[in-house]
Amino acid sequence: MPTVDIDPDELRELTGHEEKSDEELQEDLFGLGLEFEGWTDDDAFELEFAPDRLDRLSVEGVARSMRYQYGDSRGVHVPSTNGADWTIEVDDSVPDERPYVTGAVIRDVDLDEDGLDSLIQLQEKLHATMGRKRAKGAIGIHDLTMLKGRDALRASENASGDEPRASAATEGNPTIRYVGVEPDEDRFVPLDSDAELTPAEVLEEHQTGREYADLVSGYERYPAIYDDIGLFSFPPVINGRRTEVSTDSRDLFVEMTGTDQWTIDKMLNIVCYALAARGATLEDVRVEYPDGELVRPDLSTKTKRVAHDRIETLLGIDLDPDDVIDLAERSGLDATRIEDGATANNESTITPLEERDGLEERGGAEGSSESNANDAASTGELVYEVTIPPYRVDVLHPLDVIDDLGRAYGFNDLEPRYPEVGTVGGRHERSRLERAARTQLVGLGFEDLLNFHMIDEAQNYERLDVEPGEDAYGAGEPATIKEPYSEDYTMLRTWTLPSLLQVLENNTHRAYPQHLSEVGFAAELDDRENTGVAEGRHVGAVLADHEAGYEDAKARLQALARDFDVDLETPAADHPSFIPGRAADVVLDGENVGVVGEVHPKVLVEHDLEVPVAAFEFDLEALR
Amino acid sequence: MQLPESQIAVLETASADEATPVDALAAATDLPPETVTGAAFELEEEGLVAVAERVDETVSLTEEGEEYAERGLPEVRLYEAALEAGADADPAPMGQVIGNSGLEGAAVDIALSNYARKGYGSIEGGEITADPDAEPAADAEATALDELAGEGTLEEGDVLDQLERRGLVEVAESTVREVELTEQGVTELMAGVETAETVGQVTPELLTSGDWEDVEFAEYNVEADAETVEGGRVHVLREMSERVKDVLVGMGFEEMDGPHADADFWINDCLFMPQDHPARTHWDRFALEQPTHIDELPEDLVERVERAHREGVGDDGEGYHSPWDEDFARALALRGHTTSLSTRYLSGEQIGEIEPPARFFSVEKAYRNDTLDATHLLEFYQIEGWVMAEDLSVRDLMGTFEEFYAQFGITDIQFKPHYNPYTEPSFELFGTHPTTGELIEIGNSGIFREEMLEPLGVECDVMAWGLALERLAMLTTGAEDIRDLHGTLADLEFLRNAEVTY
């Protein structure tokens, strides 16, 4: 489970609860599902979090949730934003693999060391979770004062006529450009470096570059962000040193690039909320795609319609409508009662979104609830329209709202009850047959074993002197593992005898006789099966003791055949794992389903065994 | 009176005038000493003899002691060799004297350390002198050794202590029992005693003839250990699995069965796990190299599942902002959880449509391509269960799981709200360890999301939970290394000694 580090002093300050002891805070955090794992070296709490509430990846978000928990905050709060000054212009040259960008300007931040650490942690945790290790979304945060937008440039050095990419950027507004560049087209000084490097060189020479090289290795053109001075960021790999953020930074430019507009917009919202919680002012940024424009951050809210009845049945309690509204507000949501599926009286918080084909096909779901009928339409049922704040990324369905209400109510305050639902239980036939076979084997004196289904080729075949696909019982073609963790477990076993011999090998220091059996899984390739794998259960048995011989194995096999009322014949047959002349096919009710015999000395010696071993193995199905 | 043969023999051999040791009685009666002892105690209980005990010390030579008794004490042999070398007159070189003495190894040090102590001479600067007046023949230790070697005895004293310190003798204590007839014993003997017949084995003749009525059965030492029997037995983890199945069947659950190697579609997509979820791309997934893809998936179900991933379900639902690709869904892997069985059953694919209410379970293997250590296995048994009914609530879920865990002695279940992509609400289950009292995680549970159920065609609620069987087994058996329980590294001794689970 992922963890997040939270400084308890900061938490006290941001929640306004200076009086809370560390222990009280830990208890309150547990209530939010943030489990205290221990202290970090910097005296912060290390908290384990469930990866749904990604708005709690920093002390600011955790503090916000705690203020709701304490009752200090209620309902939805959306910070205001100032009108856009800056523009991100998206060039046609942007790599197709990473077409999306978003951004915001943050003014008047007051970042001390703790604040900066928190911002960096939030960035890292968002990368690790929503950003899918930067593949889906990557964040770049820059010191705004180090950026030179278009008109600043025009005023000072109008002469630079060789502007490489002509743009349709708004006249008079500062602009940065998201473009695609050839791997060695341009140079910049990346973070943690003194050298000017091309993007291709960054991927080879810079530590962070090497770490993230895989993300762009298939790209023809690399993503790059320019201001009028030049290249300053190489997303999703690394930023330039010029715009590095420090505790002296007052104004920030936050940009995010990715493979999905919704994802990076939500990541941006989480960052904006965190910085706003520290007193910063948010400012819109225009994102100009070749075919349309967005204004970001998108802090519009969403709504979900939740039926009162569903809340009551899912939680198993009766609730007053006012209680529901109270629980919603304590969860940081707003709820409005509507009857009969009517639309809520509209001071609707839904802002119409920019229509952009393709780009918004999934990011634009916010507007949909208004036009759709809802579950409770025209039945006179009590329904709530619940407003979801823009930092929430986990509310996909009205169910998720009910979960929030349940948490606010306190799940542990619910009284468990055994459901009054009558059903008839029973075992699967295969499982009954397995148990019956096992019981008979134990009655015959076998110690029942339970081995792994996975094995390696050497043990399954070579050490028993058989070849994959050979015409011998147990030597079918294997289903193999793509990237095995251990070289001892690379395939599904095709028979149980190799496992049983391995147990004998590992127990030569234990008392004999060792009569071991297993009714267990075996599988082999079979293209007649839908999965391409024929899975079955085998009955395997070994008799290891100083006088074990063919007849001992056959005697027990006969007993099993008698128990299950099947005819047993054992016509002589060669099998590489057994001594010639002392091996036979196991034919049950006329079907050749296994092998019985004395294990060949070369197989015994291979397993460091110094006693004879008689064995049999056959398909469990044959006992039906 | 009638007495068993052995008691009569002891009674007749014992004397009323003096106590006779058991060994002597055994020799006289030709019975094993333990039989005589047993008979004597029986007779004592009848008041016919008195049994007295005393502790005897016996002194015997150790191996080293016997060697010296035969070849002489090392220091004496050194003295004799020194005399031969003329060391009584002039100091002789030590190496030569030792060589002549035939002493070797540790015996040399023993000789040298006792030589001076006993006044046989002195050793200085690599030379040895011999005191001509010394009398090795009068050496008390040598004399005592000879005495002991000749079956004689040795009184307690300095010489014995010295020999014991040198490790040449051993003093052993033994209990000697002596038997003496009592007056009553004499009286009974005078009156005459008859032999009661004893038999060892019940035989067919004994039974058919009716003779069993007249015989006395020889008594056995019923307290002695018998020989070890290794019978067959069911594997301890299998016993646990059977126990779990019993409980679930008793609670009305029906067992599921299905493929171990399965399409990701059944393992993950049907569970509303986004395709870019870390668990699906993570290296702990056991993707198959061969075969690679399932042949067929139900087309309409694939469509519905894809739509749920992309758009969500219901009027207010929304999907994941993640890619979805059918080829990815068709890829084969060893199932990472047995929830793939649940999706197959819920969809109707496995046994046809299931009408609510219904309860299903499995205790089957799941696979994780992860570390193998004392608490992690690549393969483990997952207990999976679900209940399908109209209007199930979180309280029903809590009540069901409390009932289940109570069957294993785990009470006071705590429900910690949790997140799973396929359940909402979701809970981690915590319980108190029955012996250590520690709070430990014992399962994961929740109510299946509508995005999962709707595409599967399920129109009511389904609540589900899962946990590892090994975890329950370690809890209840106290096993500390999971590898002892499961797999080819299993120790037969551990399995043979494991306590039966029921």
Side-chain angles (χ1 to χ4, degrees):
Chain A
M1 287 264 267
T3 59
V4 60
D5 300 339
I6 300 290
D7 179 347
D9 292 332
E10 284 229 291
L11 197 55
R12 277 185 277 265
E13 194 183 323
L14 286 164
T15 55
H17 281 271
E18 301 285 348
E19 82 289 356
K20 290 271 182 184
S21 70
D22 289 344
E23 290 71 27
E24 285 172 308
L25 285 178
Q26 286 164 14
E27 204 168 299
D28 298 339
L29 288 163
F30 189 86
L32 291 178
L34 291 157
E35 210 172 321
F36 177 74
E37 289 285 291
W39 292 90
T40 69
D41 294 340
D42 304 325
D43 294 330
F45 294 168
E46 187 181 344
L47 303 172
E48 191 180 271
F49 70 95
D52 53 341
R53 291 298 299 270
L54 301 179
D55 54 296
R56 294 173 178 161
L57 292 181
S58 68
V59 66
E60 299 86 359
V62 171
R64 178 176 57 238
S65 285
M66 291 183 82
R67 289 177 55 80
Y68 282 118
Q69 188 188 27
Y70 294 148
D72 298 337
S73 293
R74 296 179 75 83
V76 175
H77 294 281
V78 180
S80 60
T81 58
N82 292 332
D85 183 23
W86 286 76
T87 298
I88 303 173
E89 181 192 314
V90 184
D91 194 80
D92 275 332
S93 63
V94 162
D96 292 342
E97 297 90 340
R98 204 172 183 85
Y100 300 112
V101 63
T102 193
V105 164
I106 318 288
R107 303 263 182 200
D108 301 323
V109 287
D110 181 14
L111 287 177
D112 54 10
E113 285 293 341
D114 289 340
L116 189 59
D117 286 348
S118 174
L119 185 61
I120 290 168
Q121 173 174 243
L122 177 58
Q123 185 178 355
E124 283 171 0
K125 298 294 173 184
L126 281 172
H127 277 154
T129 52
M130 275 191 97
R132 306 287 193 235
K133 294 181 179 152
R134 303 193 190 183
K136 200 172 185 181
I139 306 166
I141 303 178
H142 309 276
D143 189 330
L144 184 69
T145 56
M146 301 310 291
L147 289 176
K148 293 287 174 274
R150 179 168 311 269
D151 45 358
L153 183 80
R154 288 211 173 135
S156 60
E157 37 174 314
N158 210 1
S160 64
D162 58 339
E163 191 59 47
R165 271 161 283 277
S167 86
T170 318
E171 288 291 326
N173 278 338
T175 300
I176 62 171
R177 294 181 318 282
Y178 180 38
V179 304
V181 295
E182 299 291 336
D184 285 313
E185 183 178 322
D186 206 346
R187 296 177 167 275
F188 72 116
V189 180
L191 287 174
D192 307 318
S193 172
D194 294 322
E196 274 211 325
L197 301 172
T198 67
E201 286 165 351
V202 167
L203 299 186
E204 279 178 20
E205 295 168 26
H206 193 282
Q207 192 191 340
T208 313
R210 283 194 295 268
E211 191 177 340
Y212 291 99
D214 283 351
L215 291 178
V216 295
S217 59
Y219 290 16
E220 262 178 51
R221 301 174 67 79
Y222 290 158
I225 307 179
Y226 279 77
D227 66 352
D228 278 1
I229 298 172
L231 174 60
F232 70 90
S233 180
F234 173 24
V237 180
I238 196 162
N239 288 342
R241 219 174 80 173
R242 165 159 58 99
T243 60
E244 183 173 5
V245 174
S246 71
T247 48
D248 297 330
S249 304
R250 301 288 298 172
D251 298 333
L252 307 179
F253 196 109
V254 181
E255 47 78 13
M256 304 197 187
T257 62
T259 58
D260 176 73
Q261 186 76 44
W262 182 90
T263 302
I264 55 176
D265 283 342
K266 284 296 184 186
M267 289 165 71
L268 180 65
N269 288 354
I270 290 170
V271 172
C272 283
Y273 262 85
L275 289 166
R278 289 189 178 271
T281 309
L282 307 181
E283 182 178 303
D284 286 339
V285 164
R286 265 186 293 274
V287 181
E288 285 189 359
Y289 286 96
D291 55 351
E293 182 183 291
L294 303 176
V295 176
R296 288 295 182 260
D298 176 10
L299 298 178
S300 61
T301 56
K302 287 188 296 189
T303 59
K304 299 280 180 208
R305 299 203 170 188
V306 187
H308 184 82
D309 185 49
R310 186 67 178 139
I311 300 170
E312 289 192 331
T313 56
L314 199 59
L315 300 182
I317 47 173
D318 293 331
L319 284 169
D320 201 63
D322 290 340
D323 292 339
V324 173
I325 290 168
D326 177 60
L327 291 173
E329 289 178 354
R330 278 162 50 199
S331 309
L333 310 170
D334 281 332
T336 317
R337 280 177 72 157
I338 47 174
E339 313 279 343
D340 196 22
T343 307
N345 54 348
N346 254 335
E347 36 37 292
S348 172
T349 42
I350 299 162
T351 46
L353 284 168
E354 306 77 12
E355 298 297 330
R356 273 179 36 75
D357 288 342
L359 195 65
E360 282 294 318
E361 62 185 346
R362 279 191 266 148
E366 288 92 335
S368 61
S369 69
E370 269 193 315
S371 54
N372 288 333
N374 66 66
D375 292 338
S378 312
T379 58
E381 252 188 87
L382 176 57
V383 172
Y384 304 91
E385 187 162 86
V386 179
T387 307
I388 319 294
Y391 55 81
R392 290 291 293 271
V393 298
D394 58 314
V395 184
L396 303 181
H397 192 277
L399 266 179
D400 298 304
V401 172
I402 302 179
D403 182 55
D404 273 15
L405 303 179
R407 288 178 192 239
Y409 181 88
F411 279 120
N412 272 309
D413 291 338
L414 296 178
E415 180 86 14
R417 68 172 175 212
Y418 193 77
E420 287 175 23
V421 172
T423 54
V424 177
R427 297 276 292 255
H428 192 275
E429 188 191 357
R430 196 224 356 108
S431 138
R432 282 187 282 126
L433 180 59
E434 270 190 38
R435 179 178 52 183
R438 209 169 276 130
T439 306
Q440 297 314 112
L441 285 161
V442 166
L444 291 168
F446 287 102
E447 296 178 65
D448 174 44
L449 287 185
L450 208 156
N451 288 312
F452 293 137
H453 296 170
M454 283 183 292
I455 201 166
D456 68 301
E457 274 89 347
Q459 179 62 28
N460 193 73
Y461 301 112
E462 287 163 38
R463 299 187 74 207
L464 279 95
D465 206 32
V466 294
E467 307 263 347
E470 179 177 355
D471 183 20
Y473 185 82
E477 297 274 4
T480 50
I481 310 296
K482 202 187 249 166
E483 284 161 4
Y485 167 78
S486 156
E487 59 185 20
D488 294 333
Y489 305 101
T490 59
M491 57 172 277
L492 290 175
R493 65 179 180 185
T494 57
W495 56 334
T496 62
L497 187 57
S499 313
L500 292 171
L501 284 170
Q502 224 172 349
V503 176
L504 290 178
E505 180 178 13
N506 289 333
N507 283 280
T508 50
H509 58 305
R510 296 306 184 196
Y512 285 98
Q514 293 177 7
H515 293 180
L516 313 178
S517 70
E518 181 172 11
V519 179
F521 177 92
E524 60 184 53
L525 292 189
D526 185 344
D527 51 21
R528 291 167 301 183
E529 298 287 335
N530 191 19
T531 58
V533 181
E535 301 179 3
R537 300 296 184 284
H538 288 198
V539 178
V542 290
L543 297 143
D545 67 63
H546 299 281
E547 289 170 355
Y550 176 84
E551 202 176 310
D552 299 305
K554 168 102 190 242
R556 285 159 178 82
L557 192 56
Q558 269 174 203
L560 277 179
R562 184 191 58 211
D563 290 340
F564 286 87
D565 193 22
V566 290
D567 283 333
L568 170 68
E569 291 166 86
T570 53
D574 283 337
H575 189 295
S577 309
F578 296 89
I579 299 174
R582 297 187 181 187
D585 287 337
V586 173
V587 177
L588 292 173
D589 280 345
E591 295 253 2
N592 185 355
V593 292
V595 63
V596 54
E598 279 182 34
V599 176
H600 201 288
K602 67 189 162 195
V603 175
L604 299 180
V605 169
E606 172 65 32
H607 289 84
D608 290 333
L609 294 173
E610 292 173 358
V611 294
V613 175
F616 61 81
E617 176 163 350
F618 63 90
D619 299 348
L620 175 68
E621 276 296 292
L623 296 182
R624 272 175 113 102
Chain B
M1 76 185 302
Q2 279 200 340
L3 287 174
E5 207 168 349
S6 57
Q7 290 184 28
I8 291 176
V10 171
L11 198 63
E12 285 174 341
T13 314
S15 151
D17 304 330
E18 57 171 346
T20 317
V22 165
D23 279 350
L25 289 173
T29 57
D30 206 18
L31 290 169
E34 55 270 25
T35 306
V36 172
T37 307
F41 280 127
E42 293 290 340
L43 290 168
E44 188 183 32
E45 235 162 74
E46 299 281 335
L48 305 181
V49 301
V51 181
E53 287 187 8
R54 66 179 161 78
V55 175
D56 262 8
E57 280 190 351
T58 51
V59 180
S60 59
L61 289 177
T62 63
E63 221 174 281
E64 191 181 351
E66 279 182 23
E67 192 199 324
Y68 295 167
E70 194 182 320
R71 301 185 58 184
L73 287 166
E75 58 270 25
V76 174
R77 289 166 62 188
L78 185 65
Y79 180 72
E80 283 162 358
L83 284 183
E84 247 172 69
D88 49 342
D90 300 308
M94 199 142 76
Q96 182 199 334
V97 173
I98 289 173
N100 290 341
S101 71
L103 292 168
E104 279 176 355
V108 176
D109 289 335
I110 293 169
L112 293 178
S113 64
N114 287 303
Y115 192 76
R117 175 174 69 85
K118 290 189 174 170
Y120 287 162
S122 65
I123 294 155
E124 218 173 322
E127 296 192 319
I128 189 165
T129 61
D131 181 345
D133 299 332
E135 283 181 74
D139 188 308
E141 292 175 21
T143 314
L145 281 183
D146 283 345
E147 186 73 14
L148 283 170
E151 306 243 324
T153 55
L154 193 60
E155 294 298 315
E156 278 181 51
D158 293 344
V159 177
L160 180 60
D161 292 346
Q162 179 64 32
L163 288 178
E164 209 179 349
R165 264 199 298 279
R166 289 185 68 173
L168 304 183
V169 299
E170 278 172 330
V171 180
E173 290 190 345
S174 60
T175 305
V176 174
R177 296 197 177 86
E178 292 176 322
V179 181
E180 193 172 358
L181 277 183
T182 60
E183 260 179 52
Q184 194 191 340
V186 175
T187 313
E188 290 288 351
L189 208 50
M190 303 286 276
V193 286
E194 289 171 30
T195 308
E197 194 180 346
T198 70
V199 295
Q201 182 77 37
V202 178
T203 60
E205 292 77 33
L206 204 60
L207 295 173
T208 51
S209 65
D211 285 351
W212 59 270
E213 282 190 276
D214 302 323
V215 300
E216 187 146 339
F217 292 97
E219 289 174 16
Y220 295 154
N221 178 359
V222 293
E223 288 179 22
D225 282 341
E227 67 178 302
T228 309
V229 175
E230 297 298 353
R233 61 174 297 180
V234 172
H235 192 280
V236 61
L237 192 58
R238 186 71 70 182
E239 279 173 348
M240 193 70 204
S241 140
E242 289 293 322
R243 167 90 183 103
V244 171
K245 289 183 183 190
D246 276 351
V247 166
L248 288 169
V249 168
M251 290 172 72
F253 285 78
E254 201 175 325
E255 193 174 13
M256 303 184 285
D257 186 42
H260 292 238
D262 209 351
D264 242 27
F265 180 74
W266 295 111
I267 304 171
N268 285 312
D269 291 286
C270 283
L271 275 178
F272 197 54
M273 292 274 280
Q275 290 197 341
D276 66 351
H277 190 280
R280 300 191 60 172
T281 48
H282 197 252
W283 52 278
D284 71 2
R285 182 173 163 264
F286 262 124
L288 289 191
E289 182 174 66
Q290 185 72 323
T292 57
H293 290 80
I294 200 164
D295 286 346
E296 279 173 42
L297 293 173
E299 256 174 64
D300 46 339
L301 180 58
V302 171
E303 243 170 67
R304 291 199 301 270
V305 167
E306 176 173 359
R307 199 161 51 235
H309 278 249
R310 290 194 187 281
E311 296 162 19
V313 305
D315 297 325
D316 262 2
E318 57 186 287
Y320 288 125
H321 302 268
S322 298
W324 201 93
D325 176 34
E326 189 180 333
D327 197 53
F328 193 78
R330 297 168 79 93
L332 288 167
L334 299 182
R335 59 192 183 203
H337 46 209
T338 50
T339 318
S340 58
L341 297 178
S342 300
T343 57
R344 280 176 167 270
Y345 273 69
L346 286 167
S347 72
E349 171 79 4
Q350 211 70 7
I351 57 166
E353 199 135 314
I354 296 168
E355 290 295 324
R359 289 184 171 94
F360 276 85
F361 81 97
S362 65
V363 184
E364 286 286 338
K365 258 193 186 165
Y367 304 81
R368 296 269 162 93
N369 202 2
D370 207 338
T371 35
L372 181 65
D373 61 31
T375 54
H376 295 86
L377 293 174
L378 304 185
E379 307 175 10
F380 60 97
Y381 279 89
Q382 186 186 335
I383 304 169
E384 162 106 3
W386 49 266
V387 181
M388 175 203 261
E390 303 287 346
D391 294 335
L392 285 173
S393 74
V394 169
R395 292 177 56 198
D396 296 316
L397 175 149
M398 291 174 164
T400 298
F401 304 153
E402 278 201 345
E403 193 62 45
F404 173 77
Y405 288 104
Q407 299 291 319
F408 300 93
I410 302 165
T411 51
D412 304 329
I413 300 274
Q414 289 185 28
F415 297 84
K416 183 188 162 207
H418 183 62
Y419 168 73
N420 292 315
Y422 44 91
T423 54
E424 184 83 316
S426 313
F427 302 95
E428 279 183 325
L429 308 176
F430 287 80
T432 309
H433 192 292
T435 50
T436 66
E438 203 183 344
L439 197 66
I440 45 166
E441 193 195 328
I442 50 170
N444 190 358
S445 69
I447 296 179
F448 281 142
R449 293 185 70 96
E450 286 180 30
E451 291 95 331
M452 170 181 166
L453 293 178
E454 191 183 277
L456 294 173
V458 177
E459 283 167 1
C460 57
D461 293 326
V462 179
M463 63 192 199
W465 88 109
L467 83 152
L469 177 69
E470 284 82 351
R471 188 155 190 104
L472 200 56
M474 286 176 84
L475 258 183
T476 53
T477 64
E480 280 172 8
D481 191 332
I482 205 164
R483 290 167 296 189
D484 286 337
L485 284 178
H486 189 168
T488 43
L489 299 174
D491 181 351
L492 287 182
E493 197 68 15
F494 178 87
L495 293 176
R496 285 169 176 171
N497 292 336
E499 190 183 342
V500 167
T501 299
Y502 58 90

